[in-house]
Amino acid sequence: MASHDLAIEAIDLRKRYGSTEAVAGISLGVHPGEVFGILGTNGAGKTTTVEMIAGLRRPDAGQVRVLGLDPATDRGKVRQVLGVQLQSSALHGSLTVSELVDLYASLYARPVPTGELIEQVGLTSQVTTRFEKLSGGQQQRLSIALALVGRPRVVILDELTTGLDPRARREMWRTIENLRSSGATVLLVSHAMEEVEALCDRVALFVAGQVAALDTPSGLTDRAGASSLDEAFVALTGQEPEEVL
Amino acid sequence: MTTEIQAQRPGLRAWRTLVVCEAKMVARDTSGLIVPLGLPLLILLMSASSAASQVVQNGHTALEVFVLPLALTIVIAMIAIVNMPSFLAYYRRTGILRRLAVTPASPALVLVAQTVVSIVQALLGLTLAVAVAVVGFGAGPPEDLGVAVGVFALASLAMYGIGMMVAALAPTPNSAVAIGLVAFFAVGALGGLFGGMATLPDPLASIGTTLPFGGAVQGLGAAWVGASVEASSLIGMTVTAVVGFAVAAVVFRWE
């Protein structure tokens, strides 16, 4: 039974690709205003779970609710309040930064002004640069900007800072802190333990399509008797965390 | 928690912005302009000089009755059935549609923006071709300009209906081109692409007239000499347009 007090709720989600069970009974609940992290090795089911929450894939079994709505059947409502930065997607290569922000802004009822958003992600000097000419880190920042352009109440960020240099990563962390201050709910998929420790209120560790542990970062560390989240990850999942790219 | 959330479809600003963005992308991709602008001229120049001196009906030349209608039809069919679907398939393959799928954008928004920009491209090319036919080879206007415009508009909708189905169903850019070419040559062969419909067996010619390619060639030729357009051509093009767009909207895939 879905709870209407949760911003995101997944109940016994299952998804199979052929003979591979990518998600094998994931359940989790994210509270409004919370920054919730998902950690796991490759193939642990993180991205598939996020795609089901975003309404891009239908689960074989189980339920998803975003602000009490089903992302698949209530698509029109969910898209107005959900901002998504996907791990694998592209933008129109020959459009400039400002053209892309304008385009995505036009899809929402109450968008963030283009100039303000571009400044927020540090792309002001690239405003007339085509997407295909941006560096990987700049493309990532633009992708995050587009996830935020509609003033979402729930934000899904898959691999938030992958490809960003340390300075840009810190700036992006500040953006997440600002989102938290504004009351938005953030679901953050990450490989970076430091990032999860710095930003997340709670973390779910995914192993083989299931939640192996769920707690605050410090709670996971204490539970494992470890000195860091890295060590806790190894102790609780039996696997080495992936290298951060 | 859900009571205050309203489903709000993108408004006129979104439609306008997406069309403008699509147009900018086309203008920045110079190679993509070769087919719509160059193809009509090429077809025309290949056959215009001999056809311009051959009077075939009511004082009208073969250029006006056969070559121009065929050239106009080939161009709109090529752009709508082969060119446009490959763009959409490319968007799907690279993840551009996947990114739009997590926004309030609807499939209709994407499909219509593509169609509008594609039609504008085609019209530019066709205008150029007709201007060359008139200025360079002395072609005259259709006896019934309104019918010619109406037939061309209906034929365009029908061709884009087929193209939209191809775009919605094709899994990859390569398969979109392959399926589009097969569809183009299928409707073209039955519509007089290779030597005129008079050379086809009667049953095939009848089928060809009801398909968009044959219907467009027949209808434009009729408009040029002031004859009436066959009802089966008009019905065939209308049905193709309605079915094509409806199927495309239903089976559209973001990824």
Side-chain angles (χ1 to χ4, degrees):
Chain A
M1 184 73 182
S3 164
H4 289 276
D5 296 327
L6 293 169
I8 300 172
E9 186 171 26
I11 305 171
D12 198 22
L13 281 186
R14 292 173 188 276
K15 185 71 183 178
R16 179 180 283 280
Y17 301 117
S19 59
T20 305
E21 190 166 33
V23 174
I26 295 277
S27 294
L28 53 86
V30 183
H31 301 291
E34 188 175 26
V35 179
F36 189 97
I38 296 179
L39 280 173
T41 52
N42 271 342
K46 306 184 300 287
T47 293
T48 299
T49 300
V50 160
E51 287 175 345
M52 288 191 284
I53 291 170
L56 279 171
R57 296 193 190 283
R58 279 183 186 266
D60 296 335
Q63 278 186 39
V64 181
R65 290 289 180 270
V66 174
L67 299 175
L69 300 164
D70 183 331
T73 57
D74 296 316
R75 185 179 181 279
K77 290 181 180 176
V78 172
R79 292 290 177 268
Q80 281 295 335
V81 291
L82 180 68
V84 183
Q85 178 246 324
L86 294 164
Q87 186 184 352
S88 57
S89 65
L91 298 169
H92 303 79
S94 61
L95 293 182
T96 66
V97 168
S98 64
E99 287 166 350
L100 281 164
V101 176
D102 279 340
L103 171 61
Y104 278 73
S106 74
L107 302 172
Y108 294 91
R110 210 171 50 88
V112 180
T114 298
E116 184 182 315
L117 191 60
I118 290 173
E119 188 180 350
Q120 192 180 335
V121 295
L123 289 174
T124 304
S125 54
Q126 285 80 32
V127 76
T128 57
T129 305
R130 293 185 188 187
F131 179 73
E132 63 200 4
K133 301 287 185 191
L134 296 173
S135 69
Q138 289 167 339
Q139 289 185 349
Q140 178 80 344
R141 279 188 270 165
L142 179 57
S143 180
I144 292 160
L146 299 183
L148 306 180
V149 71
R151 301 183 195 273
R153 286 168 57 185
V154 176
V155 187
I156 296 175
L157 301 166
D158 194 356
E159 303 298 342
L160 172 69
T161 55
T162 302
L164 297 188
D165 59 46
R167 185 178 158 203
R169 186 174 297 172
R170 295 280 172 181
E171 285 171 2
M172 211 46 65
W173 288 7
R174 271 199 293 278
T175 301
I176 303 304
E177 292 294 354
N178 290 340
L179 276 174
R180 187 208 305 271
S181 304
S182 72
T185 306
V186 180
L187 183 63
L188 178 67
V189 178
S190 181
H191 284 138
M193 300 292 170
E194 183 192 8
E195 179 170 286
V196 169
E197 278 186 304
L199 294 175
C200 295
D201 300 306
R202 289 187 302 148
V203 189
L205 303 186
F206 279 26
V207 177
Q210 294 183 316
V211 176
L214 197 165
D215 206 334
T216 61
S218 58
L220 288 174
T221 308
D222 292 345
R223 193 194 300 186
S227 58
S228 69
L229 192 56
D230 261 314
E231 283 182 20
F233 185 93
V234 176
L236 293 169
T237 67
Q239 298 182 26
E240 290 290 332
E242 291 163 72
E243 284 186 16
V244 178
L245 299 175
Chain B
M1 187 165 281
T2 64
T3 49
E4 72 274 30
I5 300 171
Q6 300 292 320
Q8 193 164 349
R9 291 186 175 184
L12 203 57
R13 180 168 162 257
W15 291 85
R16 193 176 58 237
T17 307
L18 191 53
V19 168
V20 169
C21 284
E22 290 284 350
K24 283 179 179 173
M25 283 185 287
V26 167
R28 288 167 188 172
D29 173 23
T30 45
S31 63
L33 291 170
I34 289 172
V35 169
L37 297 183
L39 193 61
L41 274 181
L42 188 65
I43 294 165
L44 193 72
L45 292 173
M46 281 194 305
S47 14
S49 65
S50 60
S53 58
Q54 191 182 347
V55 177
V56 290
Q57 199 174 348
N58 297 349
H60 290 282
T61 64
L63 173 63
E64 296 158 348
V65 182
F66 300 124
V67 176
L68 264 177
L70 184 63
L72 298 183
T73 305
I74 288 174
V75 171
I76 195 69
M78 197 73 171
I79 293 171
I81 301 177
V82 182
N83 221 29
M84 187 274 298
S86 70
F87 270 96
L88 265 181
Y90 166 75
Y91 282 7
R92 186 183 295 122
R93 176 68 169 265
T94 55
I96 289 171
L97 291 185
R98 179 180 159 81
R99 182 64 188 82
L100 284 169
V102 291
T103 72
S106 65
L109 183 71
V110 177
L111 294 175
V112 170
Q114 276 279 330
T115 306
V116 167
V117 173
S118 182
I119 286 175
V120 170
Q121 283 182 76
L123 288 176
L124 283 174
L126 296 176
T127 304
L128 189 63
V130 170
V132 169
V134 170
V135 175
F137 299 97
E143 294 275 342
D144 198 333
L145 185 61
V147 171
V149 171
V151 167
F152 186 75
L154 188 57
S156 301
L157 285 174
M159 301 294 190
Y160 277 98
I162 296 174
M164 285 298 168
M165 279 196 291
V166 174
L169 293 167
T172 66
N174 286 343
S175 66
V177 173
I179 297 169
L181 281 173
V182 169
F184 170 79
F185 282 115
V187 294
L190 290 171
L193 178 61
F194 305 112
M197 293 173 70
T199 62
L200 294 171
D202 284 346
L204 290 183
S206 298
I207 294 169
T209 310
T210 61
L211 292 174
F213 196 102
V217 173
Q218 190 276 329
L220 288 170
W224 236 282
V225 298
S228 59
V229 181
E230 288 183 24
S232 60
S233 297
L234 298 175
I235 294 168
M237 288 189 283
T238 306
V239 169
T240 305
V242 171
V243 171
F245 279 93
V247 169
V250 170
V251 301
F252 184 86
R253 292 174 296 109
W254 291 102
E255 59 181 324

